[in-house]
Amino acid sequence: MSTTTATPDRAARAPLNWRALWDNVYQAALALGLSLLVGGALLLVSGRDPIAAYRSLYYGAFGTTDRFTETLVKATPLLFVAVSVSLCFRAQVWNIGAEGQMILGAIFSTWVALHIKGLPTLPHLALTFVAGALGGALWSLIAGVLKAYLQANEVITTSMLNYIAVYLLAYLVRGPMMDPQGFNFPQSRLIPDELELPRLIARTRLNVSFIIALVAVVLALLFWRSTWGRRTEIVGASRRVAEHVGLSVPRTVLLVTALSGALAGIAGWGEIFGLHFRLIEEITRGFGTLGIVVALLGGLNPIGMTISAFLFAALVVGGNAMERNANVPFALVDVIQGCVILLVLSRAYLFKRASS
Amino acid sequence: MNWDLITVSFVVGVLASAVRWATPILYAALGEVFTERAGILNLGLEGIMLMGALSGFVGAYNTGSLWVGLLIAALVGMAMGLLMAFVSVTAKANQVVAGLGITILGGGLSTLLFRLFFGLRTRPPTIKTFKVHSLPLLGDIPIVGEVLFKHNVMVYLIFILVGVAWMVLYRTRFGLALRAVGERPEAADTRGLNVTALRYIGLMIGGALAGLGGAYLPLADLGIFWTQMTAGRGFIAVAVVVFSRWDPVRALWGALVFGGAAALQTALQTLKAPIDSELLLMLPYIVTIIVLVGISRRAEFPGAFAVPYSRGEK
């Protein structure tokens, strides 16, 4: 099918075009601001106090050092997923399967942590990391292969694979991987203590996976300047041109789906080895989908995505606090997400109108 | 596995349940046929169905009338289609991402509104659903009558709508215009057809039907609403449309395939098949992928599918 028109963003073409980046930042800020207004209006209509809600959201995200580190904790999977999604989206491959890929990454890496024995700590940890990346990549490649060679729409296959992954996880934590001493809770055994990722600040949940996420952002910047990155851009710009200059479109599709699956898988790894230390059902907490919003708001640009990952992490952490303290449902954050996507998409039209 | 349970009436029950599973998917798929025939891919069906489910439930709960609930669901679905139309037709945004935005918005908004309307309760609010009516004479036919003609009114309505949709698409000037706009918008434009208006209409029909499909779940089946209750039916409906090759009657068969997979899954659970229920729940989603793969290479998409139209541009 032809989805070659309407590139997600002009800035996406040139990773470090400062002018485009600035346009991007202020338009994104406006989109976010408008979305917050829409959310506020909804609260007002239903008789809640939007200012109190947003105040508790703000303090929930930035109020104390503790809250702020929690924002960084939530930004970690969002960064991984956003970088993952941007690889595919810039090649015009609409992979929305990060949820499922995160889950498979978590399953593979936990299995390696629990069942491979006798390795020294560091190689063992490295192996769990590789297993997480592999799990995500394989899951993503199912959709990649079906798209590259059988033209199956990846939006449908990846969304179906998300549901399948959720049930696979539910099956594993109730069956083969269930903790025998877990009082029948749907969860696996704890990973060995020595495999837990070191904390960056004592008594907070902020851990090494945050640093790895930042490294992923830097690697993404480098990727777009490499030959592979440029090839991917060409395939994204036009399938016809790519074939004309002798690039293999199917091979590029496979490359980006595998890489992006691996990154989402690493996000799942980070959640297990940095936060939960065991397989549980709520491993993704919707971050696979939220990461897509982060990527779009960031214009699929590594720097833009970093900024938007922090913003949305703050929204999530603050949204939880808001639900607790101001009795405003967390779903408000989902509404804001949806508005952000639609506004960011329409902004070329809206801004043209405003300036003429 | 308990083989003794498999009797004629059990099999008939499974087939009838396949029809009921297929119905909400078919509503959404039928609408999407119109949308895609006009050249737009609406991947926001999942979110529109959720908004339909929520608004239908709230409407029926507050007025006590299921029909008012349905009307509201159709109108809300239409409004969501209008929003998609603005983003994809007027602002010419990428339709895949726009659909994703609609899905996230619909999921969030339906959850939020439900909480704002009903608050947190220990017992969920419930409504009485549409009753099952056996059709006179037809309902008395052995087996066939049980499978096809002992359902609630929304099932019969979708049978009729399939026929109506076929008539509209192939036997009216409007249907011809809609298909022309999806196939070759430039040519349609030169003939004096309003491409923008027709695409808006295609999306609004699609939205209204997806809203009804969503409302089927609380109003005709379950009597309650819960977050994300459509569980991927919107995406499955998009797959059904590809399967149907944009034909209302073939969409009926497609929806029945998925309904069958879902009914089989529940039947196997009843039979205590030696497979865990979590694994059985995957079945409809796996079938969707397999069917999609089987047909995608042969599928001929409408000529201008998912391409925004601008006059005088190539």
Side-chain angles (χ1 to χ4, degrees):
Chain A
M1 91 168 60
S2 55
T3 38
T4 47
T5 49
T7 52
D9 192 51
R10 273 166 290 133
R13 294 270 155 268
L16 277 179
N17 176 341
W18 291 104
R19 179 65 221 273
L21 186 64
W22 165 244
D23 273 0
N24 213 16
V25 166
Y26 94 86
Q27 291 179 1
L30 214 62
L32 190 64
L34 272 172
S35 307
L36 288 169
L37 277 180
V38 170
L42 267 170
L43 292 179
L44 204 61
V45 169
S46 66
R48 316 268 170 126
D49 179 358
I51 294 170
Y54 283 142
R55 183 176 292 152
S56 96
L57 191 148
Y58 177 81
Y59 281 108
F62 302 112
T64 62
T65 331
D66 217 33
R67 304 308 307 166
F68 183 65
T69 58
E70 196 55 25
T71 296
L72 299 184
V73 167
K74 294 284 196 293
T76 305
L78 290 179
L79 277 172
F80 281 124
V81 173
V83 174
S84 147
V85 164
S86 69
L87 289 176
C88 277
F89 279 19
R90 275 165 82 161
Q92 305 271 324
V93 174
W94 307 107
N95 168 10
I96 57 167
E99 283 285 309
Q101 293 147 21
M102 267 181 88
I103 291 176
L104 267 287
I107 292 172
F108 272 50
S109 53
T110 310
W111 193 90
V112 166
L114 294 177
H115 291 90
I116 307 259
K117 295 207 167 81
L119 277 178
T121 302
L122 218 53
H124 195 184
L125 190 59
L127 197 62
T128 63
F129 179 85
V130 173
L134 190 69
L138 289 175
W139 201 245
S140 173
L141 271 174
I142 297 175
V145 169
L146 296 180
K147 165 152 185 93
Y149 298 109
L150 299 164
Q151 282 90 48
N153 182 320
E154 70 276 20
V155 178
I156 300 171
T157 51
T158 49
S159 66
M160 292 298 116
L161 285 167
N162 284 346
Y163 289 102
I164 296 171
V166 167
Y167 289 122
L168 180 66
L169 176 61
Y171 162 72
L172 288 174
V173 293
R174 286 184 175 78
M177 288 180 81
M178 188 160 100
D179 181 2
Q181 272 109 46
F183 305 101
N184 268 329
F185 276 116
Q187 60 187 27
S188 77
R189 278 185 291 137
L190 283 167
I191 58 167
D193 289 345
E194 65 271 17
L195 291 183
E196 294 180 6
L197 292 175
R199 301 288 160 104
L200 295 179
I201 303 173
R203 282 186 297 279
T204 69
R205 303 205 301 162
L206 191 63
N207 61 74
V208 171
S209 64
F210 175 66
I211 305 290
I212 302 175
L214 293 180
V215 172
V217 172
V218 175
L219 288 178
L221 276 170
L222 295 176
F223 175 81
W224 294 116
R225 301 179 153 219
S226 72
T227 323
W228 282 1
R230 290 204 197 89
R231 282 185 191 158
T232 308
E233 299 268 34
I234 294 170
V235 169
S238 162
R239 301 281 197 262
R240 272 228 302 277
V241 170
E243 271 159 15
H244 195 73
V245 298
L247 293 177
S248 161
V249 174
R251 218 176 292 161
T252 311
V253 169
L254 293 184
L255 173 75
V256 291
T257 43
L259 279 178
S260 94
L263 278 161
I266 293 168
W269 170 84
E271 296 297 282
I272 300 273
F273 290 76
L275 298 180
H276 306 298
F277 313 124
R278 60 167 27 129
L279 210 49
I280 54 171
E281 280 191 285
E282 305 81 29
I283 203 77
T284 69
R285 293 167 191 271
F287 287 161
T289 314
L290 185 52
I292 299 171
V293 187
V294 168
L296 289 169
L297 186 71
L300 307 183
N301 172 306
I303 295 171
M305 293 191 304
T306 308
I307 300 170
S308 82
F310 288 115
L311 276 175
F312 273 97
L315 261 177
V316 168
V317 175
N320 282 322
M322 180 183 72
E323 172 143 7
R324 276 195 312 273
N325 303 331
N327 190 28
V328 171
F330 182 82
L332 181 69
V333 175
D334 295 329
V335 173
I336 292 170
Q337 284 176 42
C339 289
V340 166
I341 296 190
L342 297 177
L343 281 168
V344 165
L345 281 176
S346 316
R347 69 171 184 235
Y349 174 80
L350 295 172
F351 279 91
K352 202 168 61 194
R353 268 298 159 89
S355 60
S356 65
Chain B
M1 187 149 160
N2 199 342
W3 294 99
D4 300 341
L5 282 174
I6 304 180
T7 58
V8 172
S9 67
F10 181 81
V11 174
V12 165
V14 172
L15 290 176
S17 122
V19 173
R20 284 193 299 274
W21 272 98
T23 302
I25 295 171
L26 187 51
Y27 272 97
L30 205 55
E32 182 75 1
V33 167
F34 281 90
T35 305
E36 295 195 7
R37 281 287 181 145
I40 304 285
L41 168 68
N42 183 4
L43 282 169
L45 287 186
E46 182 79 4
I48 301 181
M49 288 182 84
L50 280 165
M51 283 303 288
L54 180 272
S55 55
F57 181 80
V58 171
Y61 186 87
N62 286 319
T63 63
S65 161
L66 293 168
W67 291 102
V68 173
L70 279 188
L71 181 70
I72 293 174
L75 289 175
V76 167
M78 202 182 274
M80 295 289 284
L82 201 61
L83 183 61
M84 177 69 189
F86 172 76
V87 179
S88 61
V89 180
T90 304
K92 299 184 173 60
N94 180 297
Q95 293 167 17
V96 176
V97 186
L100 191 65
I102 296 278
T103 290
I104 293 177
L105 180 68
L109 199 55
S110 56
T111 307
L112 179 69
L113 291 175
F114 185 73
R115 273 283 305 276
L116 293 180
F117 279 123
F118 297 101
L120 276 176
R121 298 186 177 189
T122 41
R123 305 180 68 188
T126 58
I127 50 170
K128 280 214 169 67
T129 57
F130 281 111
K131 284 198 189 69
V132 171
H133 289 287
S134 176
L135 288 190
L137 297 176
L138 291 171
D140 300 330
I141 308 170
I143 298 180
V144 178
E146 296 275 338
V147 173
L148 292 179
F149 303 114
K150 281 192 177 156
H151 289 292
N152 65 70
V153 64
M154 281 193 81
V155 177
Y156 301 134
L157 187 65
I158 195 65
F159 287 150
I160 298 168
L161 281 176
V162 169
V164 171
W166 188 88
M167 289 286 293
V168 170
L169 266 184
Y170 296 114
R171 293 286 181 270
T172 65
R173 294 174 69 97
F174 167 72
L176 185 66
L178 199 72
R179 287 184 286 138
V181 159
E183 213 53 64
R184 294 188 55 197
E186 306 82 17
D189 196 7
T190 9
R191 296 271 168 86
L193 292 174
N194 188 337
V195 177
T196 305
L198 281 160
R199 288 188 163 178
Y200 263 78
I201 294 171
L203 272 161
M204 284 161 72
I205 296 175
L209 283 167
L212 289 176
Y216 177 92
L217 300 171
L219 299 188
D221 192 8
L222 302 157
I224 52 172
F225 174 89
W226 68 79
T227 298
Q228 304 290 343
M229 75 187 299
T230 51
R233 286 176 179 83
F235 290 109
I236 293 178
V238 178
V240 165
V241 175
V242 181
F243 172 86
S244 79
R245 283 174 277 158
W246 301 274
D247 179 280
V249 181
R250 275 195 298 258
L252 171 69
W253 300 124
L256 282 171
V257 169
F258 300 106
L264 185 67
Q265 170 259 122
T266 32
L268 285 170
Q269 289 200 37
T270 319
L271 293 174
K272 304 225 181 315
I275 311 172
D276 288 86
S277 62
E278 288 86 14
L279 294 180
L280 282 174
L281 284 166
M282 296 177 188
L283 193 62
Y285 305 104
I286 295 174
V287 168
T288 304
I289 293 180
I290 293 170
V291 170
L292 186 73
V293 168
I295 51 171
S296 288
R297 294 189 80 166
R298 284 178 289 128
E300 283 176 31
F301 286 80
F305 189 61
V307 183
Y309 175 65
S310 309
R311 195 177 270 183
E313 288 174 26
K314 265 284 169 190

